[in-house]
Amino acid sequence: EYPRFVTRYLQLPSLNPAIHQLAQKITTGLTNNYDKVAVLERYLMREYAYSLEGGHDPNDPLSDFLFNRKEGHCEYFSTAFVILARSLGIAARPAGGFYGGVYNEVGNFVAIRQADAHSWAEVYFPSEGWVTFDPTPPSAVIVAGTEGLLATMGRYLDSMELLWYKWVVRWDLERQLEFLKSIGRKIPGIDGLFSLSRHKRHKVLREMFKS
């Protein structure tokens, strides 16, 4: 049995009865929840195609995805998986975030782009907690090229853009103070200024500049 806080992840909207029938058909003969969601995941990956075209029936986009067009982006796959699982009494929820990213050795950071946005699903098992399942076909995961002159130039441009944003666009008072503090830690006697009151700090600075 599920803990009380998990029961919210069993809720269902008004559904086309064919969706529940499809879930039962896919999982025929299976007796435990893990096997059921694993076969749901494989079914969606195998029988449906990834597409960014959209255009699904606005009145019932899920049914249109499952029974008519049989193609869609990752949110269609994760939503279909969650609804199919819940129709079988299995607690599931959609999850979203970013998949992958490209390491930029020039600026020493990982670039996460809008194209890396992704949606998957999680299923609750009382003995394990939330477990990730991703029914979107692997071919939908597009990895940007990392070799060649254009890719190298792109990494330099990305690094310059990040520096501009960090030190110009976001050059607020807090960052200015942190920058001055970092200098103060390297110059004996300066760091102690930041522990003084504003009035005393200004007085000390004026005396320093006079000398």
Side-chain angles (χ1 to χ4, degrees):
E1 296 183 3
Y2 290 119
R4 180 175 296 180
F5 79 91
V6 177
T7 56
R8 62 182 297 187
Y9 300 106
L10 293 168
Q11 297 176 0
L12 285 168
S14 177
L15 288 177
N16 178 350
I19 294 178
H20 178 58
Q21 295 170 4
L22 176 63
Q24 289 182 315
K25 178 181 178 181
I26 297 170
T27 59
T28 299
L30 301 177
T31 57
N32 70 76
N33 286 353
Y34 183 85
D35 287 343
K36 290 179 181 179
V37 293
V39 77
L40 288 177
E41 180 185 50
R42 291 195 298 271
Y43 180 84
L44 290 170
M45 293 173 66
R46 184 181 65 248
E47 301 295 330
Y48 296 81
Y50 184 86
S51 172
L52 293 173
E53 289 186 8
H56 296 77
D57 182 358
N59 296 317
D60 194 351
L62 182 58
S63 291
D64 193 25
F65 168 73
L66 287 172
F67 304 113
N68 299 321
R69 301 193 59 170
K70 296 190 175 183
E71 62 177 23
H73 53 69
C74 56
E75 289 183 332
Y76 281 98
F77 284 88
S78 61
T79 301
F81 177 89
V82 168
I83 295 299
L84 288 168
R86 289 189 185 186
S87 74
L88 297 172
I90 301 172
R93 66 186 183 186
F98 292 87
Y99 183 99
V102 179
Y103 175 68
N104 186 313
E105 73 280 4
V106 178
N108 191 30
F109 63 88
V110 176
I112 305 294
R113 305 178 186 279
Q114 185 61 39
D116 296 318
H118 190 51
S119 179
W120 59 93
E122 296 177 338
V123 177
Y124 188 85
F125 297 95
S127 60
E128 299 292 334
W130 293 103
V131 177
T132 298
F133 289 83
D134 190 351
T136 303
S139 59
V141 179
I142 302 174
V143 180
T146 59
E147 302 296 334
L149 179 60
L150 289 178
T152 301
M153 292 177 60
R155 290 195 290 274
Y156 274 98
L157 291 174
D158 287 343
S159 183
M160 292 170 61
E161 183 178 359
L162 180 62
L163 289 173
W164 173 264
Y165 179 78
K166 182 177 180 181
W167 296 111
V168 178
V169 178
R170 290 294 305 277
W171 183 245
D172 53 17
L173 179 60
E174 183 179 350
R175 287 182 177 271
Q176 293 175 37
L177 288 174
E178 182 58 34
F179 176 71
L180 292 173
K181 287 180 181 180
S182 67
I183 294 176
R185 285 189 286 267
K186 297 178 181 179
I187 302 177
I190 297 296
D191 191 33
L193 287 174
F194 295 98
S195 62
L196 300 175
S197 67
R198 181 178 180 181
H199 176 73
K200 290 182 178 180
R201 184 162 60 243
H202 287 178
K203 184 177 179 181
V204 172
L205 287 171
R206 282 196 300 269
E207 293 297 326
M208 289 176 61
F209 282 113
K210 285 181 180 179
S211 62

